[in-house]
């Protein structure tokens, strides 16, 4: 079992190489985390498939940048790799478990035991990677009324209606299977992460196996596919993360295993369709990245370089410039901002 740490870094740390963290908490393999909307709590997965998979809650003091352990709950699904919250509940995507788990949040920010676990079945054309369901991401719609679960194993995006009133007090069920229950993508795509434009009109999916970005028109819980465009042009089958710039004008998608880097696309403001704007090579294995809230910087977690790389973002063109101001960390895999 590999022990790892959840770090908090200050704005100063993002400008200096080797800057010490303000705080850290040691848990096992925290491959993804999320921060509550009020910035008071941090929730992290421990990605294991051996019975030690777990979800850990921390209190976050944003004035001091410190983490305080609250509690831990069994994940109820093997290899939880993604976690999100609507403020009242936590939802995880369990990769090897082929499931999503729901955890009500107590008033003190700690987690109650799982209130629901939804399992999926099926497979895809790739016998090695799609031998069964592999849920890789769970994303709430911009209005919070729907939840989408990306299944790399079955080439589907599952849809759930969200009971926005469900919480730890009333113990109501959070998720109900939507209509339609799922949206299919091209076979052997391997859907990984999904993101929405700030106005909520469009959604973009990065497909790990095909290396394609799929563009959707989004309305009232429905995803209507408009376009597919290549992010990975070398068929490395390792596409990873995707984000829309805060101004809603560009999409960025990271790819790994070969030609590691970030593909840059410009969004047509009238149609939501994408055109390739550029490609920025990065350090090895850019599993995750994030854009600063002001849109000026893009930070890339280069796992196998043991560094977070910092890039300046050109607002008009969307292109990136490497600033050579790496933040050195052991195998960084997830970056989130609290403010």
């Amino acid at each position: 079992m590999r022990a790892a740490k959840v770090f908090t870094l200050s704005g100063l740390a993002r400008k200096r190489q080797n800057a010490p963290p303000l705080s850290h908490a040691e848990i096992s393999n925290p491959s993804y985390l999320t921060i509550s909307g009020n910035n008071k709590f941090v929730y992290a997965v421990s990605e294991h498939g051996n019975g030690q998979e777990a979800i850990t809650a921390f209190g976050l003091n944003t004035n001091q940048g410190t983490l305080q352990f609250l509690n831990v709950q069994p994940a109820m699904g093997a290899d939880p790799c993604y976690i999100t919250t609507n403020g009242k509940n936590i939802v995880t995507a369990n990769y090897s478990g082929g499931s999503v788990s729901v955890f009500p949040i107590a008033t003190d920010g700690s987690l109650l035991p799982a209130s629901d676990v939804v399992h999926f079945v099926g497979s895809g054309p790739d016998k090695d990677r799609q031998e069964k369901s592999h849920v890789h991401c769970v994303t709430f719609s911009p209005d919070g009324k729907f939840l989408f679960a990306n299944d790399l194993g079955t080439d589907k995006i599952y849809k759930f209606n969200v009971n926005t009133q469900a919480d730890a007090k009333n113990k109501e069920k959070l998720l109900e299977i939507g209509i339609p229950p799922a949206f299919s993508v091209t076979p052997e795509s391997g859907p990984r992460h999904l993101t929405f434009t700030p106005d909520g009109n469009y959604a973009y999916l990065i497909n790990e196996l095909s290396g394609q970005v799929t563009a959707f028109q989004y309305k009232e819980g429905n995803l209507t596919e408009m376009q597919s465009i290549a992010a990975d042009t070398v068929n490395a089958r390792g596409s990873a993360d995707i984000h829309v710039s805060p101004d809603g004008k560009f999409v960025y998608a990271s790819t790994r295993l070969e030609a590691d880097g970030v593909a840059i696309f410009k969004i047509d403001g009238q149609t939501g369709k994408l055109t390739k704007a550029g490609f920025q090579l990065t350090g090895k294995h850019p599993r995750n990245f994030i854009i600063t809230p002001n849109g000026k910087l893009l930070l890339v977690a280069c796992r196998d370089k043991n560094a977070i790389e910092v890039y300046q973002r050109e607002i008009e063109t969307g292109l990136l410039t490497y600033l050579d101001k790496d933040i050195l960390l052991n195998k960084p895999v997830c970056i989130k901002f609290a403010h």
Side-chain angles (χ1 to χ4, degrees):
M1 179 177 68
R2 181 174 66 85
K5 298 177 181 179
V6 177
F7 291 92
T8 59
L9 303 172
S10 69
L12 176 63
R14 292 194 291 270
K15 299 176 183 178
R16 295 172 49 208
Q17 292 179 324
N18 300 313
L22 296 174
S23 176
H24 71 266
E26 186 166 314
I27 63 174
S28 183
N29 199 22
S31 63
Y32 207 84
L33 57 86
T34 191
I35 300 174
S36 62
N38 61 10
N39 293 301
K40 292 183 178 180
F41 306 104
V42 174
Y43 302 96
V45 303
S46 287
E47 188 174 346
H48 292 293
N50 57 3
Q52 296 179 314
E53 52 271 12
I55 314 298
T56 303
F58 299 93
L60 175 63
N61 184 321
T62 53
N63 291 324
Q64 300 177 2
T66 54
L67 293 165
Q68 178 185 5
F69 172 82
L70 295 178
N71 77 327
V72 61
Q73 292 287 356
M76 306 304 294
D79 292 310
C81 62
Y82 200 100
I83 184 169
T84 191
T85 181
N86 67 349
K88 298 177 181 180
N89 292 270
I90 287 290
V91 185
T92 67
N94 307 315
Y95 183 82
S96 297
S99 62
V100 298
S101 300
V102 179
F103 300 84
I105 300 174
T107 54
D108 65 354
S110 62
L111 294 173
L112 299 182
S115 60
D116 196 12
V117 181
V118 182
H119 294 273
F120 305 98
V121 297
S123 59
D126 187 319
K127 301 306 179 184
D128 294 325
R129 297 294 311 278
Q130 297 183 305
E131 81 289 0
K132 65 175 184 175
S133 170
H134 289 301
V135 184
H136 217 306
C137 175
V138 280
T139 309
F140 285 101
S141 61
D143 60 10
K145 295 180 179 180
F146 303 94
L147 180 88
F148 298 96
N150 301 343
D151 193 336
L152 182 148
T154 65
D155 293 316
K156 291 182 179 179
I157 302 173
Y158 294 100
K159 171 186 169 182
F160 294 91
N161 300 326
V162 172
N163 177 1
T164 58
Q165 301 304 311
D167 60 22
K169 291 183 180 180
N170 60 37
K171 298 182 180 179
E172 294 180 6
K173 192 172 183 178
L174 178 70
L175 302 179
E176 178 184 71
I177 295 174
I179 301 173
F183 303 94
S184 296
V185 297
T186 302
E188 206 170 346
S189 289
R192 185 176 167 100
H193 287 183
L194 183 73
T195 188
F196 289 86
T197 52
D199 62 12
N201 290 331
Y202 304 104
Y204 301 96
L205 170 73
I206 184 66
N207 294 284
E208 180 170 345
L209 302 181
S210 70
Q212 297 283 311
V213 173
T214 307
F216 299 94
Q217 185 179 49
Y218 176 74
K219 187 175 182 180
E220 298 177 354
N222 291 313
L223 296 167
T224 303
E225 185 173 338
M226 304 184 301
Q227 178 193 23
S228 184
I229 187 170
D232 168 18
T233 59
V234 298
N235 195 34
R237 299 173 71 78
S239 292
D241 201 10
I242 189 166
H243 295 283
V244 177
S245 59
D247 58 14
K249 294 181 178 180
F250 294 90
V251 169
Y252 297 82
S254 66
T255 65
R256 309 163 293 170
L257 307 184
E258 293 180 45
D260 291 13
V262 176
I264 306 163
F265 301 93
K266 183 174 178 58
I267 301 174
D268 185 305
Q270 300 299 315
T271 67
K273 291 185 177 181
L274 304 178
T275 55
K276 192 72 170 284
F279 189 90
Q280 176 64 52
L281 291 171
T282 67
K284 194 171 182 181
H285 207 94
R287 174 168 171 158
N288 174 252
F289 67 93
I290 195 168
I291 304 169
T292 54
N294 64 11
K296 294 182 178 181
L297 299 175
L298 185 146
L299 283 67
V300 184
C302 299
R303 189 193 70 181
D304 295 350
K305 183 184 177 182
N306 294 320
I308 297 173
E309 294 183 337
V310 182
Y311 291 84
Q312 183 174 313
R313 180 175 166 269
E314 219 304 311
I315 301 298
E316 295 301 320
T317 66
L319 299 181
L320 304 173
T321 301
Y322 178 52
L323 296 181
D324 195 20
K325 295 182 180 294
D326 291 3
I327 303 166
L328 304 183
L329 290 175
N330 182 43
K331 295 192 178 303
V333 293
C334 185
I335 313 168
K336 297 290 182 181
F337 282 110
H339 50 82

